[in-house]
């Protein structure tokens, strides 16, 4: 009795395990059928059962097309039936897509990020005036904030102005003007508040620990 037991490790590997072994056996039976009309009826019946087993695919575009492709895949492309969408080839499905071309940016000052360079390019494309001056000062203050994220101490405004001049290729020059950026301490405090807002659980735990430390011990 025990010798007649069949283990999964001894069975044929399932091509699409999501449909189970019974569907795979139905597909194998359809492949072995000699009558073409009977194969077509069986294939359509299998498609109906596959659709019921995978209801989430009903929201996928070309739902029936996907099921027919999976049917041919489970038959190892041996099922000889007429599909409403044509029979796919093994080479077509196994063809690897072309690799995506990702933009490669290697900024000199990485702590500013790529968006700063895009903002500088936009600023240099604007006509000189109050709007451009306001955007330039916003960029400079944001650069200082990014710099303080990287260097926790402090930074002189002239360093930011030099970097802005270099990144704008000389189009934006604040070195000879009497402009002052936001105070470093205020920017550091703003960064800390922003990080605390991003992690409210850590903030609550920190406050709870401080309250426990303030309790009197007798």
């Amino acid at each position: 009795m025990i010798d007649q037991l069949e283990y999964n490790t001894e069975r044929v590997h399932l091509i699409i395990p999501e449909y189970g072994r019974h569907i795979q056996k139905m597909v194998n039976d359809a492949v072995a059928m000699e009558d073409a009309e009977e194969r077509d009826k069986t294939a359509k019946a299998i498609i109906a059962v596959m659709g019921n087993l995978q209801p989430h695919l009903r929201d996928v575009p070309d739902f029936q097309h996907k099921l027919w492709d999976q049917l041919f895949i489970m038959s190892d492309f041996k099922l000889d039936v007429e599909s409403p969408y044509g029979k796919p080839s093994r080479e077509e499905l196994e063809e690897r897509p072309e690799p995506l071309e990702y933009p490669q940016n290697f900024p000199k000052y990485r702590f500013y990020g790529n968006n700063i360079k895009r903002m500088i390019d936009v600023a240099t494309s604007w006509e000189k005036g109050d709007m451009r001056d306001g955007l330039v000062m916003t960029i400079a203050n944001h650069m200082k904030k990014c710099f303080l994220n990287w260097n926790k101490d402090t930074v002189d405004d002239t360093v930011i102005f030099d970097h802005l001049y270099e990144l704008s290729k000389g189009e934006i020059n604040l070195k000879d003007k009497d402009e002052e950026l936001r105070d470093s301490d205020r920017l550091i405090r703003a960064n800390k508040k922003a990080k605390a807002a991003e992690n409210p659980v850590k903030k609550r735990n920190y406050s709870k620990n401080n309250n426990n430390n303030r309790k009197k011990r007798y």
Side-chain angles (χ1 to χ4, degrees), residues 88-113:
S89 63
R90 186 190 302 273
E91 293 75 15
E92 180 183 358
L93 293 178
E94 291 181 352
E95 182 180 359
R96 299 185 64 180
E98 296 182 0
L100 294 174
E101 295 183 1
Y102 290 94
Q104 299 294 334
N105 296 317
F106 302 100
K108 182 176 180 180
Y109 306 109
R110 295 193 176 187
F111 45 86
Y112 290 136

mmCIF file of all heavy atoms in Angstrom, residues 88-113:
data_model
loop_
_atom_site.group_PDB
_atom_site.id
_atom_site.type_symbol
_atom_site.label_atom_id
_atom_site.label_comp_id
_atom_site.label_asym_id
_atom_site.label_seq_id
_atom_site.Cartn_x
_atom_site.Cartn_y
_atom_site.Cartn_z
ATOM 1 N N PRO A 88 1.410 31.385 -30.072
ATOM 2 C CA PRO A 88 2.727 32.000 -29.856
ATOM 3 C C PRO A 88 3.840 30.988 -30.080
ATOM 4 O O PRO A 88 3.641 29.780 -29.955
ATOM 5 C CB PRO A 88 2.672 32.451 -28.393
ATOM 6 C CG PRO A 88 1.731 31.472 -27.749
ATOM 7 C CD PRO A 88 0.708 31.130 -28.793
ATOM 8 N N SER A 89 4.990 31.481 -30.405
ATOM 9 C CA SER A 89 6.153 30.608 -30.597
ATOM 10 C C SER A 89 7.019 30.621 -29.342
ATOM 11 O O SER A 89 7.002 31.582 -28.568
ATOM 12 C CB SER A 89 6.977 31.065 -31.799
ATOM 13 O OG SER A 89 7.498 32.359 -31.578
ATOM 14 N N ARG A 90 7.755 29.561 -29.164
ATOM 15 C CA ARG A 90 8.652 29.479 -28.013
ATOM 16 C C ARG A 90 9.711 30.574 -28.071
ATOM 17 O O ARG A 90 10.055 31.186 -27.056
ATOM 18 C CB ARG A 90 9.324 28.096 -28.002
ATOM 19 C CG ARG A 90 10.176 27.843 -26.760
ATOM 20 C CD ARG A 90 11.005 26.576 -26.940
ATOM 21 N NE ARG A 90 10.158 25.427 -27.205
ATOM 22 C CZ ARG A 90 9.612 24.669 -26.263
ATOM 23 N NH1 ARG A 90 9.804 24.967 -24.987
ATOM 24 N NH2 ARG A 90 8.860 23.637 -26.585
ATOM 25 N N GLU A 91 10.221 30.830 -29.253
ATOM 26 C CA GLU A 91 11.264 31.853 -29.399
ATOM 27 C C GLU A 91 10.738 33.240 -29.046
ATOM 28 O O GLU A 91 11.446 34.071 -28.470
ATOM 29 C CB GLU A 91 11.813 31.843 -30.829
ATOM 30 C CG GLU A 91 12.582 30.603 -31.213
ATOM 31 C CD GLU A 91 11.666 29.414 -31.473
ATOM 32 O OE1 GLU A 91 10.433 29.632 -31.623
ATOM 33 O OE2 GLU A 91 12.173 28.272 -31.528
ATOM 34 N N GLU A 92 9.470 33.492 -29.399
ATOM 35 C CA GLU A 92 8.885 34.804 -29.124
ATOM 36 C C GLU A 92 8.743 35.058 -27.634
ATOM 37 O O GLU A 92 9.022 36.154 -27.139
ATOM 38 C CB GLU A 92 7.519 34.906 -29.799
ATOM 39 C CG GLU A 92 6.812 36.232 -29.588
ATOM 40 C CD GLU A 92 5.433 36.247 -30.221
ATOM 41 O OE1 GLU A 92 5.056 35.236 -30.853
ATOM 42 O OE2 GLU A 92 4.741 37.271 -30.079
ATOM 43 N N LEU A 93 8.315 34.038 -26.890
ATOM 44 C CA LEU A 93 8.103 34.200 -25.450
ATOM 45 C C LEU A 93 9.410 34.156 -24.665
ATOM 46 O O LEU A 93 9.504 34.731 -23.584
ATOM 47 C CB LEU A 93 7.154 33.128 -24.937
ATOM 48 C CG LEU A 93 5.709 33.224 -25.447
ATOM 49 C CD1 LEU A 93 4.871 32.072 -24.919
ATOM 50 C CD2 LEU A 93 5.077 34.558 -25.049
ATOM 51 N N GLU A 94 10.404 33.459 -25.183
ATOM 52 C CA GLU A 94 11.679 33.350 -24.480
ATOM 53 C C GLU A 94 12.648 34.462 -24.848
ATOM 54 O O GLU A 94 13.737 34.541 -24.273
ATOM 55 C CB GLU A 94 12.321 31.996 -24.775
ATOM 56 C CG GLU A 94 11.564 30.814 -24.154
ATOM 57 C CD GLU A 94 12.242 29.488 -24.434
ATOM 58 O OE1 GLU A 94 13.212 29.487 -25.235
ATOM 59 O OE2 GLU A 94 11.816 28.470 -23.864
ATOM 60 N N GLU A 95 12.260 35.303 -25.793
ATOM 61 C CA GLU A 95 13.141 36.392 -26.207
ATOM 62 C C GLU A 95 13.292 37.398 -25.077
ATOM 63 O O GLU A 95 12.305 37.859 -24.492
ATOM 64 C CB GLU A 95 12.570 37.077 -27.453
ATOM 65 C CG GLU A 95 13.448 38.186 -27.990
ATOM 66 C CD GLU A 95 12.847 38.841 -29.221
ATOM 67 O OE1 GLU A 95 11.753 38.392 -29.634
ATOM 68 O OE2 GLU A 95 13.435 39.801 -29.741
ATOM 69 N N ARG A 96 14.510 37.736 -24.764
ATOM 70 C CA ARG A 96 14.774 38.674 -23.676
ATOM 71 C C ARG A 96 14.593 40.103 -24.162
ATOM 72 O O ARG A 96 15.004 40.462 -25.276
ATOM 73 C CB ARG A 96 16.202 38.495 -23.151
ATOM 74 C CG ARG A 96 16.480 37.110 -22.589
ATOM 75 C CD ARG A 96 17.855 37.027 -21.987
ATOM 76 N NE ARG A 96 17.994 37.917 -20.846
ATOM 77 C CZ ARG A 96 19.111 38.033 -20.130
ATOM 78 N NH1 ARG A 96 20.181 37.302 -20.433
ATOM 79 N NH2 ARG A 96 19.161 38.852 -19.106
ATOM 80 N N PRO A 97 13.956 40.936 -23.360
ATOM 81 C CA PRO A 97 13.779 42.336 -23.777
ATOM 82 C C PRO A 97 15.106 43.076 -23.788
ATOM 83 O O PRO A 97 16.064 42.699 -23.103
ATOM 84 C CB PRO A 97 12.834 42.898 -22.701
ATOM 85 C CG PRO A 97 13.085 42.040 -21.500
ATOM 86 C CD PRO A 97 13.395 40.660 -22.026
ATOM 87 N N GLU A 98 15.129 44.138 -24.564
ATOM 88 C CA GLU A 98 16.340 44.950 -24.632
ATOM 89 C C GLU A 98 16.527 45.690 -23.301
ATOM 90 O O GLU A 98 15.553 46.122 -22.678
ATOM 91 C CB GLU A 98 16.236 45.955 -25.767
ATOM 92 C CG GLU A 98 16.164 45.302 -27.143
ATOM 93 C CD GLU A 98 16.108 46.325 -28.250
ATOM 94 O OE1 GLU A 98 16.135 47.537 -27.922
ATOM 95 O OE2 GLU A 98 16.032 45.925 -29.413
ATOM 96 N N PRO A 99 17.747 45.808 -22.844
ATOM 97 C CA PRO A 99 17.981 46.505 -21.561
ATOM 98 C C PRO A 99 17.577 47.971 -21.640
ATOM 99 O O PRO A 99 17.758 48.630 -22.666
ATOM 100 C CB PRO A 99 19.497 46.339 -21.341
ATOM 101 C CG PRO A 99 20.057 46.088 -22.713
ATOM 102 C CD PRO A 99 18.999 45.342 -23.470
ATOM 103 N N LEU A 100 17.013 48.465 -20.547
ATOM 104 C CA LEU A 100 16.609 49.857 -20.481
ATOM 105 C C LEU A 100 17.823 50.762 -20.326
ATOM 106 O O LEU A 100 18.791 50.420 -19.642
ATOM 107 C CB LEU A 100 15.645 50.078 -19.309
ATOM 108 C CG LEU A 100 14.283 49.389 -19.402
ATOM 109 C CD1 LEU A 100 13.507 49.597 -18.104
ATOM 110 C CD2 LEU A 100 13.483 49.909 -20.570
ATOM 111 N N GLU A 101 17.754 51.882 -20.961
ATOM 112 C CA GLU A 101 18.828 52.864 -20.851
ATOM 113 C C GLU A 101 18.497 53.819 -19.711
ATOM 114 O O GLU A 101 17.558 54.604 -19.794
ATOM 115 C CB GLU A 101 18.983 53.634 -22.160
ATOM 116 C CG GLU A 101 19.446 52.766 -23.331
ATOM 117 C CD GLU A 101 19.666 53.573 -24.583
ATOM 118 O OE1 GLU A 101 19.480 54.817 -24.516
ATOM 119 O OE2 GLU A 101 20.025 52.984 -25.610
ATOM 120 N N TYR A 102 19.247 53.703 -18.631
ATOM 121 C CA TYR A 102 19.036 54.574 -17.481
ATOM 122 C C TYR A 102 19.922 55.813 -17.614
ATOM 123 O O TYR A 102 21.074 55.711 -18.039
ATOM 124 C CB TYR A 102 19.375 53.852 -16.178
ATOM 125 C CG TYR A 102 18.392 52.776 -15.819
ATOM 126 C CD1 TYR A 102 18.619 51.452 -16.177
ATOM 127 C CD2 TYR A 102 17.228 53.079 -15.123
ATOM 128 C CE1 TYR A 102 17.701 50.455 -15.853
ATOM 129 C CE2 TYR A 102 16.312 52.095 -14.789
ATOM 130 C CZ TYR A 102 16.563 50.781 -15.151
ATOM 131 O OH TYR A 102 15.660 49.813 -14.840
ATOM 132 N N PRO A 103 19.383 56.963 -17.270
ATOM 133 C CA PRO A 103 20.217 58.172 -17.339
ATOM 134 C C PRO A 103 21.349 58.103 -16.320
ATOM 135 O O PRO A 103 21.122 57.805 -15.151
ATOM 136 C CB PRO A 103 19.234 59.303 -16.999
ATOM 137 C CG PRO A 103 18.132 58.637 -16.241
ATOM 138 C CD PRO A 103 18.032 57.235 -16.788
ATOM 139 N N GLN A 104 22.534 58.339 -16.797
ATOM 140 C CA GLN A 104 23.702 58.290 -15.926
ATOM 141 C C GLN A 104 24.178 59.711 -15.653
ATOM 142 O O GLN A 104 24.632 60.416 -16.561
ATOM 143 C CB GLN A 104 24.826 57.475 -16.593
ATOM 144 C CG GLN A 104 24.460 56.035 -16.866
ATOM 145 C CD GLN A 104 24.248 55.235 -15.591
ATOM 146 O OE1 GLN A 104 24.807 55.565 -14.554
ATOM 147 N NE2 GLN A 104 23.449 54.196 -15.676
ATOM 148 N N ASN A 105 24.011 60.126 -14.419
ATOM 149 C CA ASN A 105 24.451 61.449 -14.007
ATOM 150 C C ASN A 105 25.518 61.300 -12.918
ATOM 151 O O ASN A 105 25.313 60.589 -11.942
ATOM 152 C CB ASN A 105 23.277 62.270 -13.461
ATOM 153 C CG ASN A 105 22.243 62.541 -14.531
ATOM 154 O OD1 ASN A 105 22.595 62.865 -15.659
ATOM 155 N ND2 ASN A 105 20.973 62.410 -14.186
ATOM 156 N N PHE A 106 26.617 61.956 -13.137
ATOM 157 C CA PHE A 106 27.707 61.891 -12.168
ATOM 158 C C PHE A 106 28.068 63.318 -11.757
ATOM 159 O O PHE A 106 29.057 63.885 -12.223
ATOM 160 C CB PHE A 106 28.923 61.177 -12.764
ATOM 161 C CG PHE A 106 28.614 59.777 -13.235
ATOM 162 C CD1 PHE A 106 28.389 59.528 -14.573
ATOM 163 C CD2 PHE A 106 28.525 58.726 -12.343
ATOM 164 C CE1 PHE A 106 28.105 58.242 -15.016
ATOM 165 C CE2 PHE A 106 28.233 57.441 -12.765
ATOM 166 C CZ PHE A 106 28.019 57.202 -14.115
ATOM 167 N N PRO A 107 27.233 63.940 -10.915
ATOM 168 C CA PRO A 107 27.509 65.329 -10.530
ATOM 169 C C PRO A 107 28.768 65.429 -9.692
ATOM 170 O O PRO A 107 29.128 64.505 -8.960
ATOM 171 C CB PRO A 107 26.264 65.720 -9.722
ATOM 172 C CG PRO A 107 25.724 64.423 -9.200
ATOM 173 C CD PRO A 107 26.032 63.395 -10.245
ATOM 174 N N LYS A 108 29.413 66.574 -9.804
ATOM 175 C CA LYS A 108 30.640 66.796 -9.041
ATOM 176 C C LYS A 108 30.329 66.901 -7.548
ATOM 177 O O LYS A 108 31.060 66.381 -6.716
ATOM 178 C CB LYS A 108 31.314 68.073 -9.533
ATOM 179 C CG LYS A 108 32.632 68.367 -8.823
ATOM 180 C CD LYS A 108 33.307 69.594 -9.406
ATOM 181 C CE LYS A 108 34.625 69.880 -8.697
ATOM 182 N NZ LYS A 108 35.288 71.081 -9.249
ATOM 183 N N TYR A 109 29.243 67.592 -7.208
ATOM 184 C CA TYR A 109 28.834 67.739 -5.819
ATOM 185 C C TYR A 109 27.572 66.906 -5.617
ATOM 186 O O TYR A 109 26.448 67.392 -5.790
ATOM 187 C CB TYR A 109 28.587 69.208 -5.484
ATOM 188 C CG TYR A 109 29.749 70.107 -5.807
ATOM 189 C CD1 TYR A 109 29.684 71.005 -6.872
ATOM 190 C CD2 TYR A 109 30.922 70.057 -5.056
ATOM 191 C CE1 TYR A 109 30.757 71.827 -7.175
ATOM 192 C CE2 TYR A 109 31.996 70.874 -5.352
ATOM 193 C CZ TYR A 109 31.912 71.757 -6.423
ATOM 194 O OH TYR A 109 32.975 72.560 -6.721
ATOM 195 N N ARG A 110 27.745 65.664 -5.240
ATOM 196 C CA ARG A 110 26.616 64.736 -5.174
ATOM 197 C C ARG A 110 25.653 65.053 -4.042
ATOM 198 O O ARG A 110 24.490 64.672 -4.095
ATOM 199 C CB ARG A 110 27.131 63.306 -5.016
ATOM 200 C CG ARG A 110 27.915 62.823 -6.225
ATOM 201 C CD ARG A 110 28.136 61.330 -6.180
ATOM 202 N NE ARG A 110 28.795 60.856 -7.377
ATOM 203 C CZ ARG A 110 29.004 59.572 -7.676
ATOM 204 N NH1 ARG A 110 28.606 58.637 -6.825
ATOM 205 N NH2 ARG A 110 29.597 59.224 -8.795
ATOM 206 N N PHE A 111 26.135 65.747 -3.022
ATOM 207 C CA PHE A 111 25.259 66.029 -1.890
ATOM 208 C C PHE A 111 24.174 67.045 -2.251
ATOM 209 O O PHE A 111 23.198 67.183 -1.525
ATOM 210 C CB PHE A 111 26.068 66.537 -0.686
ATOM 211 C CG PHE A 111 27.105 67.568 -1.037
ATOM 212 C CD1 PHE A 111 26.775 68.901 -1.120
ATOM 213 C CD2 PHE A 111 28.424 67.192 -1.278
ATOM 214 C CE1 PHE A 111 27.721 69.853 -1.430
ATOM 215 C CE2 PHE A 111 29.395 68.140 -1.578
ATOM 216 C CZ PHE A 111 29.033 69.474 -1.663
ATOM 217 N N TYR A 112 24.317 67.742 -3.391
ATOM 218 C CA TYR A 112 23.266 68.638 -3.836
ATOM 219 C C TYR A 112 22.148 67.886 -4.565
ATOM 220 O O TYR A 112 21.002 68.312 -4.547
ATOM 221 C CB TYR A 112 23.832 69.715 -4.769
ATOM 222 C CG TYR A 112 24.705 70.727 -4.078
ATOM 223 C CD1 TYR A 112 25.903 71.134 -4.645
ATOM 224 C CD2 TYR A 112 24.326 71.297 -2.874
ATOM 225 C CE1 TYR A 112 26.714 72.062 -4.024
ATOM 226 C CE2 TYR A 112 25.121 72.230 -2.236
ATOM 227 C CZ TYR A 112 26.331 72.611 -2.815
ATOM 228 O OH TYR A 112 27.116 73.526 -2.193
ATOM 229 N N GLY A 113 22.486 66.787 -5.216
ATOM 230 C CA GLY A 113 21.495 66.052 -5.978
ATOM 231 C C GLY A 113 21.361 66.574 -7.402
ATOM 232 O O GLY A 113 21.816 67.684 -7.738
#
